[in-house]
Amino acid sequence: MEFRILGTVAVVTETGELPLGPAKRSGLLAMLLLRPNSVVRVEQLIAALWEDEPPLHAKAVLQSHVSRLRALLTAHDAEMYGVRLTTQGSAYALQLPETLLDAHRFEELVALARLQHRPADTVQMLREALSLWQGPALTGTVRSAPLEAAALALEELRIASVEGLSEAYGQLGEHARAAAVLRPESVAHPLRESLAAALVLALGRSGRQSDALDHYHRTRRLLADELGVDPGPVLAAAYRTILGTPSVQAPPQAAFASQPQAQPKPVAGPVDTVPPSRPLSGEPADGARPDPSPSPALHSPPSPSLEAAAPPGAGAGTPNAPDSASDRKPRTHTGSGPAAPYPEHPATPTPVHTPAEHPTPNLLPRLPRGFSGREAELGALDQALAGDDAPVCLLAGPAGVGKTALAVHWAHRRPARHDRFPDGVLFADLRGFSDTPAPETPTVLREFLLALGVPAPRIPETTAARGALYRSLAAHRRLLVVLDNARTSAQVRPLLPGGDHCATLITSRDRLGGLIASDAATPVPLDPLPPGDAAGLLAAVLGDERVAAEPAAVERLAGLCDGLPLALRVTAARLAERPDGTLAAMAGELADEQRRLSLLDIEDTGVSAALRLTVRHLPAPAAELFGLIGLHTGSDLDRFTAAALTGVTPDEADTALGRLAAAHLVAESAGGRRTPHDLVRLYARTLIPEPAAEPLGRLLDHYLRTALAAAAAAHPESRPCCALPADIRPAVAVREFPDRAAALDWFEAERSGLEGAVAAAADAGLHDRAWRIALLLWPVILLRVGDGWVPLLEQCLASAEHEDDPDAQSRARALLGWVLHEEGRDDEALVHLEQAPGLAALAGDVTSEAIACVNLAVALNGTGAHDRAGLLLSRAVTLAVQAQHPPTEALALHHLARHCLDSGAHEAALSHAVRALDMTSPDEAARRVLLQTACGEALAALGHPDDAADLLGQALRTAESAEFEDGVSAARKALDGLPADR
């Protein structure tokens, strides 16, 4: 899924663009996309969707568009991409990964372009950024001041990027291309003097001085006619620059093109650290193909500042190729003779090889056996390493996922590699995550130079000189360089080859974001194997017949091994030792979490060893956090939970989490949460420090404080169901919830963690924490009452009884009984519900007693004990009045009204429902819908169908606006039951 605002506003999926509908809906989407992951107030949206004064019903129209846009996104599985359109009070927010938005990708590429040191890299990034534009920004929306202002701001960024692209072309000496880029923009914006000035300079420098002067004078006249002003300093300076040129000077490319026989061949010298620049097409500046067999001459440097000798036969004024940053003057020696030759060849420089001796290196290790699948990733490598722009590809993934095997297989077997890199392959294991020390850069460079045909005595001593010679030799060849198992970007950069025709394939357990930023590396993430590829890997060891006989067991093994080829190979090795054993039996052994890691280790190979090496190279804060992840009770965690485990601030914890994500020890998911794979979690449990009571206590207290805050935000009208323990630890930071939706989202996201925390607290004997955390889940329990809460609430009750707390027992039994009743288990429910009111009375909690009476009455109604249920509901109303707690009184009145409706007491039902409605806040949409529906049913039964229809219509609209499906169903059913001829 992709969102576009750089052109026509659109949402694009794999099946095409989604039908957004009218311009106002496109404008709504545009306003939300202009501030992704931020709230946009209703007033701002209304101002953007109406050009003139908005109508009185503007808010209703806006809500309708929001509802339809949300339905459209839901229908196309937007949540699968992390996209959610949420309501936050009187505002809306479109939550999405910003990489799905073209404007975000455009700004990222422009920002990266500013960081580049080579103009050719700047050109590449700006061209990619500008290719995202499909027309004027925000096309297809309504014409309003806010949207037009936003479109103008985006257009300013685009024009500035065009100017930056032309400047980068100019630095490369490609002034004609700079002029071609600037011409249409200058025509579209004739009064923008910066564009005109840049075009005048580009035209003049590309040999078109008359066109440059003509464009200047036309712009000067236009400024005078339209604005009554003279050209500003920038345009005037460009004019003076062109006039100051005594004659039209062709760029270096043209000079070389006119005298191709005089162009010197490139010379490789120890300090030629930057390869000659070339146009974006990869062709040499003079249009000729590069010499496939250059004859570089090597000189032994007498001092660190020695420069390469001029090529034989070149005069003193012969220009060298331009540097990547600017067209520099040719390098010449300051002495009377050439640079000092090697001692054993005192007269002349010694060539490394003749063209006939051009070596074709192949340093690849042997082809990996049993390689299976990965067609999508192989295709991604084909694409990432294509082209003549010195591509750098980063193959990144967790330990054991098969990065080296994939890289070596691609380099050995893919036709794309053999066609693209006929001059050979260099390979180095950088051992970034290994028990043995990583090779030093000079050592790797020496191996590369030997492979490229440099005799050992001719290899320079210094690292800088070796790197310069390596880049010079690679600059005129088509080489693939594979750098395996890299740990840092700094380890890789000195080994990147020079020239436009080489490509570099890097594998790493780390994302190496610095390499992506500085060298435009293309990331190719390597995920675990899907079941089909896992079956192929097992079959390569065990045979097709044995694997095909147990397809279900193969899928289970793939899941237990987290799809990691390393784990699957160890499993296959164990199965190979048991020719009579079944795959299902092995899956049963691996299902035991206590044994799984040991089963996935064999001799010196296995998952534990691979993860140990990854963790060893983590910085201290990330390593400490990883060691505590084994204590975490949920499937994923956010920065607040990580902060609680480690006792640091959320920002510090987020940095550590980011480092774990970069090392592929946790996966990133929506909402800033991180998830470790099962094998990683099991390994982390082996690192839990002793003692672990303090970090576990911090985690439990974090959940207590946060759940209490979330419950208060979800139901601000309710009283807290418990107080914090007296010995609770101080909080570094407490998460805040702006509204009910945010609180319920947190409960949903943290459900597994909260349930696990209850079990962990009980196991540790911390029962005062266990029952509190369980009870604080009540808002989501009521929302998802059928989601299997009984075991959790049974533990809650056991912990409350262990603490001998009657109020906690009452609340636990009332909530457990309610859930059992909703599951249709009334006999079990009544066992708990009958005790709840008495326990609450014993504790002296009148509100809790009233709620217990309501829950018991509802269950009794289900068993036919209607008279007793009515008495209990009346008592609940009395208790709630005594407690002076309107929300509980409204709850009791609501159920009493339903009871009266069922028993035919319609006047009483109407009275109770109206009374409850008067004390129910407008923010409590669900309760109001149910009460309005009860009023409508009572009015209909009392012979007032028109009044009933009005009230039921209000209930239906409120339910639809709040997306309260049960309320929609109840109101619609009541409306359908009204007389047709009313």
Side-chain angles (χ1 to χ4, degrees):
M1 180 170 282
E2 179 185 7
F3 294 82
R4 296 177 181 171
I5 60 175
L6 303 182
T8 300
V9 175
V11 183
V12 183
T13 67
E14 293 178 352
T15 57
E17 289 190 12
L18 302 188
L20 290 179
K24 277 188 171 55
R25 199 167 306 145
S26 294
L28 165 66
L29 176 60
M31 286 293 291
L32 295 172
L33 289 173
L34 287 166
R35 296 184 60 190
N37 302 310
S38 301
V39 293
V40 185
R41 299 193 314 277
V42 166
E43 298 80 18
Q44 294 173 293
L45 293 171
I46 290 175
L49 298 191
W50 276 271
E51 183 178 2
D52 301 314
E53 185 70 17
L56 294 176
H57 62 281
K59 190 172 183 179
V61 174
L62 174 63
Q63 290 174 340
S64 174
H65 282 303
V66 170
S67 178
R68 291 179 181 274
L69 181 57
R70 182 183 285 126
L72 180 67
L73 293 172
T74 301
H76 289 83
D77 299 322
E79 286 203 1
M80 184 174 69
Y81 299 92
V83 179
R84 294 178 67 248
L85 176 50
T86 61
T87 304
Q88 300 189 17
S90 60
Y92 298 99
L94 187 59
Q95 309 287 342
L96 76 161
E98 293 189 359
T99 52
L100 300 182
L101 178 60
D102 60 355
H104 175 78
R105 296 199 303 277
F106 169 75
E107 292 180 3
E108 273 196 330
L109 286 165
V110 171
L112 283 173
R114 296 192 187 103
L115 301 176
Q116 301 309 305
H117 301 296
R118 291 180 26 171
D121 295 337
T122 302
V123 165
Q124 181 181 359
M125 289 193 175
L126 288 178
R127 286 185 60 177
E128 184 177 349
L130 290 166
S131 71
L132 296 171
W133 284 75
Q134 306 294 318
L138 306 182
T139 299
T141 62
V142 294
R143 294 179 60 85
S144 66
L147 285 169
E148 288 189 348
L152 284 173
L154 288 168
E155 177 67 5
E156 282 293 321
L157 288 175
R158 188 189 69 83
I159 294 174
S161 301
V162 170
E163 292 175 337
L165 177 59
S166 71
E167 181 181 353
Y169 273 136
Q171 291 175 340
L172 290 171
E174 298 182 22
H175 304 296
R177 286 195 173 188
V181 166
L182 293 165
R183 174 75 76 177
E185 300 300 332
S186 186
V187 170
H189 305 277
L191 296 177
R192 190 181 180 102
E193 292 189 54
S194 59
L195 277 174
L199 180 55
V200 165
L201 290 172
L203 289 169
R205 288 167 179 167
S206 62
R208 299 166 61 187
Q209 191 177 35
S210 61
D211 289 342
L213 296 174
D214 178 69
H215 187 73
Y216 167 80
H217 287 298
R218 277 192 284 113
T219 305
R220 178 182 56 78
R221 288 193 296 270
L222 190 63
L223 289 169
D225 293 341
E226 295 289 334
L227 305 178
V229 297
D230 293 325
V234 175
L235 182 54
Y239 176 65
R240 288 193 301 271
T241 299
I242 297 303
L243 285 181
T245 306
S247 61
V248 178
Q249 295 186 4
Q253 300 96 310
F256 288 145
S258 64
Q259 296 178 342
Q261 71 280 5
Q263 183 180 348
K265 289 187 178 180
V267 177
V271 294
D272 286 335
T273 57
V274 183
S277 299
R278 301 208 182 275
L280 202 64
S281 64
E283 296 295 326
D286 62 353
R289 299 294 296 177
D291 184 351
S293 56
S295 301
L298 294 176
H299 303 281
S300 176
S303 70
S305 62
L306 179 67
E307 293 188 336
T318 306
N320 287 351
D323 188 78
S324 63
S326 62
D327 297 342
R328 295 180 181 173
K329 294 181 180 179
R331 291 176 174 177
T332 58
H333 291 291
T334 57
S336 58
Y342 285 109
E344 63 268 41
H345 296 281
T348 58
T350 304
V352 175
H353 58 265
T354 64
E357 297 168 343
H358 192 297
T360 303
N362 188 349
L363 301 185
L364 284 174
R366 65 178 176 82
L367 188 69
R369 299 188 61 188
F371 185 86
S372 175
R374 297 293 195 194
E375 289 303 319
E377 290 85 353
L378 289 168
L381 291 181
D382 287 343
Q383 184 175 358
L385 294 169
D388 281 337
D389 54 353
V392 178
C393 179
L394 175 60
L395 190 62
V401 81
K403 300 177 292 295
T404 300
L406 175 61
V408 174
H409 178 87
W410 184 88
H412 269 292
R413 288 290 177 87
R414 295 295 275 193
R417 195 280 286 177
H418 296 282
D419 295 341
R420 280 271 292 115
F421 310 109
D423 294 326
V425 185
L426 302 178
F427 178 93
D429 181 0
L430 302 183
R431 299 197 292 271
F433 301 88
S434 174
D435 277 326
T436 56
E440 296 182 352
T441 298
T443 303
V444 179
L445 288 170
R446 184 178 190 279
E447 295 300 317
F448 284 0
L449 291 172
L450 288 172
L452 292 171
V454 180
R458 310 293 191 264
I459 295 177
E461 291 297 323
T462 67
T463 302
R466 287 184 183 185
L469 178 56
Y470 160 61
R471 288 187 290 273
S472 297
L473 293 176
H476 305 289
R477 305 188 191 192
R478 293 181 177 273
L479 290 169
L480 172 66
V481 179
V482 181
L483 303 175
D484 186 38
N485 203 10
R487 185 157 67 92
T488 65
S489 300
Q491 188 185 25
V492 167
R493 288 192 185 101
L495 303 175
L496 297 177
D500 294 335
H501 304 300
C502 297
T504 308
L505 174 55
I506 302 157
T507 74
S508 180
R509 298 182 191 182
D510 198 285
R511 291 178 182 171
L512 300 187
L515 202 66
I516 297 173
S518 65
D519 293 273
T522 301
V524 176
L526 196 57
D527 296 321
L529 284 173
D533 288 355
L537 188 153
L538 292 172
V541 179
L542 304 174
D544 293 335
E545 186 175 338
R546 188 175 178 187
V547 172
E550 298 184 76
V554 169
E555 186 169 352
R556 191 179 180 204
L557 283 173
L560 291 168
C561 292
D562 279 348
L564 294 178
L566 173 62
L568 287 163
R569 290 183 188 281
V570 172
T571 301
R574 292 195 179 278
L575 285 166
E577 296 171 354
R578 310 177 191 176
D580 297 329
T582 65
L583 276 66
M586 176 59 73
E589 292 182 49
L590 288 175
D592 182 355
E593 290 190 350
Q594 303 300 319
R595 298 184 58 209
R596 191 181 309 170
L597 279 178
S598 62
L599 288 170
L600 294 178
D601 290 334
I602 188 167
E603 292 187 356
D604 60 346
T605 300
V607 173
S608 295
L611 290 172
R612 174 175 54 82
L613 293 172
T614 302
V615 174
R616 175 189 293 177
H617 292 95
L618 289 172
E624 179 186 0
L625 174 57
F626 183 81
L628 293 171
I629 280 181
L631 284 172
H632 180 45
T633 56
S635 57
D636 58 7
L637 71 165
D638 62 10
R639 65 193 187 102
F640 288 94
T641 306
L645 282 169
T646 53
V648 300
T649 66
D651 287 343
E652 291 171 320
D654 195 49
T655 300
L657 278 173
R659 195 66 198 82
L660 295 181
H664 292 92
L665 290 168
V666 296
E668 293 181 275
S669 53
R673 304 186 69 80
R674 269 79 168 199
T675 307
H677 290 296
D678 287 344
L679 294 179
V680 172
R681 190 192 318 277
L682 292 177
Y683 179 71
R685 287 178 186 169
T686 68
L687 305 178
I688 293 175
E690 290 289 344
E694 183 59 26
L696 176 61
R698 289 196 302 263
L699 176 68
L700 297 176
D701 287 353
H702 156 72
Y703 273 139
L704 258 178
R705 288 183 186 277
T706 313
L708 196 63
H715 292 276
E717 75 285 354
S718 297
R719 291 176 181 173
C721 67
C722 64
L724 292 173
D727 62 343
I728 193 167
R729 293 163 180 79
V732 176
V734 179
R735 183 166 186 159
E736 297 180 354
F737 300 95
D739 52 31
R740 169 183 167 82
L744 292 177
D745 285 347
W746 180 83
F747 274 123
E748 294 282 3
E750 289 285 3
R751 174 174 173 175
S752 65
L754 290 163
E755 290 185 271
V758 172
D763 289 344
L766 301 172
H767 293 285
D768 60 336
R769 265 68 172 175
W771 72 257
R772 283 178 167 87
I773 295 173
L775 277 186
L776 284 168
L777 277 158
W778 70 267
V780 73
I781 292 175
L782 295 183
L783 193 66
R784 304 275 187 269
V785 71
D787 277 6
W789 300 102
V790 170
L792 173 77
L793 294 174
E794 287 176 340
Q795 177 60 66
C796 173
L797 177 59
S799 290
E801 290 176 331
H802 186 279
E803 292 293 294
D804 195 23
D805 187 321
D807 188 46
Q809 294 175 49
S810 169
R811 292 178 182 274
R813 289 187 183 277
L815 190 53
L816 175 57
W818 175 267
V819 171
L820 288 167
H821 164 69
E822 289 293 316
E823 291 185 359
R825 300 158 63 178
D826 281 339
D827 290 342
E828 297 172 72
L830 288 171
V831 170
H832 298 290
L833 293 172
E834 290 281 8
Q835 299 180 58
L839 287 166
L842 179 63
D845 190 329
V846 179
T847 302
S848 182
E849 185 182 356
I851 294 172
C853 287
V854 171
N855 289 1
L856 175 58
V858 172
L860 288 171
N861 252 334
T863 63
H866 302 301
D867 292 342
R868 187 181 172 205
L871 292 173
L872 280 167
L873 289 170
S874 296
R875 174 164 174 74
V877 172
T878 302
L879 288 168
V881 171
Q882 178 184 339
Q884 297 182 349
H885 193 234
T888 302
E889 183 181 350
L891 172 70
L893 286 168
H894 170 214
H895 285 284
L896 184 57
R898 295 305 317 179
H899 176 78
C900 291
L901 282 172
D902 293 339
S903 60
H906 301 115
E907 287 280 4
L910 181 61
S911 173
H912 296 322
V914 169
R915 181 178 161 192
L917 196 58
D918 287 342
M919 63 180 65
T920 302
S921 166
D923 295 333
E924 298 178 71
R927 176 65 53 78
R928 292 189 67 83
V929 166
L930 296 176
L931 289 170
Q932 286 172 333
T933 302
C935 288
E937 291 179 45
L939 286 168
L942 292 170
H944 304 287
D946 292 337
D947 293 338
D950 288 343
L951 205 53
L952 291 171
Q954 289 181 39
L956 180 59
R957 288 189 294 274
T958 303
E960 288 176 337
S961 176
E963 299 182 356
F964 178 31
E965 294 181 5
D966 289 345
V968 170
S969 176
R972 187 168 285 140
K973 181 180 178 181
L975 278 169
D976 292 342
L978 294 177
D981 57 347
R982 60 180 182 274

